[in-house]
Amino acid sequence: MGDAQRQRPYVPARTLDTEFPLIDSDPHFKRVLRYARPEDYAVGAATAAAGPSLMLVWERFAPSYVGKGGFAPIMRLTGAIGLTAGFLQFYNRSIFRFYGFSENQREREMDMREMVDKVKRSEPLYGKSTLSPYMQGVASRNSRYAGVWLHIIPWFNFVNHEQHGVDTAKYYQQAERELEAEKDEGSMNPSYQ
């Protein structure tokens, strides 16, 4: 039996019972970064600076006496670990809003505006993909809710696909309402040339 004849089952995204509405169960990496709040950057920067700062404080109060060339490699390693931890903390705070784990009113408004604008321009909601639908599904299943385990295995979604765990009809309905309002507004105020 060929691939054209065999139908692969669609595995729907599991919906979690969260305090706030789900925006996306598998947001693209760039989208998570775009939707981040200024306080996410601040928390990420503070997390990144914490490790090297603690190393300097410890060296001040309890010197290691490693010599002139021994402390610099330790600080570089601590800095790299701090930057990684800071980025993961920043990313986690942003992606948790997509999942509805924390307050996400601003992100819901941004999501609605972005998606409605894409509907009006007749663009695919979640971008174009060069992968087959099957491979898009594999990518989705591998990275869906991956932000929950980001501290164990940093796993990000870099694939555009249509499996995001939300009903996209709301974007089309809102676009229709806005287009109707624009049409009605245009008919009430005809421009005279």
Side-chain angles (χ1 to χ4, degrees):
M1 193 180 329
D3 281 340
Q5 296 173 341
R6 194 170 38 171
Q7 187 73 342
R8 293 200 183 341
Y10 169 72
V11 180
R14 180 178 177 189
T15 55
L16 302 177
D17 185 27
T18 59
E19 185 177 349
F20 302 98
L22 173 72
I23 298 172
D24 194 335
S25 65
D26 191 20
H28 194 278
F29 179 81
K30 290 178 184 176
R31 196 165 181 228
V32 175
L33 298 182
R34 264 195 342 262
Y35 280 45
R37 295 180 181 185
E39 55 264 27
D40 297 338
Y41 287 97
V43 169
T47 303
S53 300
L54 282 172
M55 287 299 290
L56 289 172
V57 169
W58 285 333
E59 186 64 22
R60 173 111 176 143
F61 290 109
S64 61
Y65 303 110
V66 292
K68 189 174 185 178
F71 192 65
I74 293 169
M75 283 302 291
R76 283 194 292 272
L77 176 62
T78 306
I81 292 171
L83 285 173
T84 302
F87 174 75
L88 292 177
Q89 178 70 4
F90 153 81
Y91 192 87
N92 228 12
R93 288 175 55 92
S94 182
I95 202 167
F96 276 8
R97 289 191 203 91
F98 279 94
Y99 298 156
F101 294 166
S102 57
E103 186 276 318
N104 61 4
Q105 180 63 36
R106 173 184 166 268
E107 288 74 14
R108 282 187 283 147
E109 291 169 0
M110 290 174 67
D111 173 64
M112 183 61 75
R113 182 78 270 136
E114 178 185 4
M115 296 303 175
V116 167
D117 288 346
K118 284 184 176 186
V119 168
K120 287 179 178 180
R121 292 189 306 262
S122 299
E123 295 176 2
L125 290 181
Y126 296 104
K128 296 176 184 172
S129 180
T130 57
L131 296 178
S132 69
Y134 173 72
M135 290 309 296
Q136 290 178 37
V138 169
S140 171
R141 289 186 294 278
N142 283 333
S143 60
R144 192 178 295 153
Y145 289 112
V148 174
W149 300 103
L150 202 61
H151 61 289
I152 305 295
I153 299 177
W155 196 280
F156 309 102
N157 174 26
F158 295 108
V159 176
N160 291 322
H161 57 78
E162 298 297 320
Q163 302 177 23
H164 293 270
V166 293
D167 183 12
T168 57
K170 63 184 175 183
Y171 305 127
Y172 292 95
Q173 293 165 355
Q174 180 64 26
E176 285 177 16
R177 285 191 290 270
E178 288 182 14
L179 289 171
E180 279 295 320
E182 290 170 9
K183 189 170 112 179
D184 291 345
E185 187 176 293
S187 64
M188 295 177 122
N189 300 322
S191 60
Y192 297 106
Q193 307 277 17

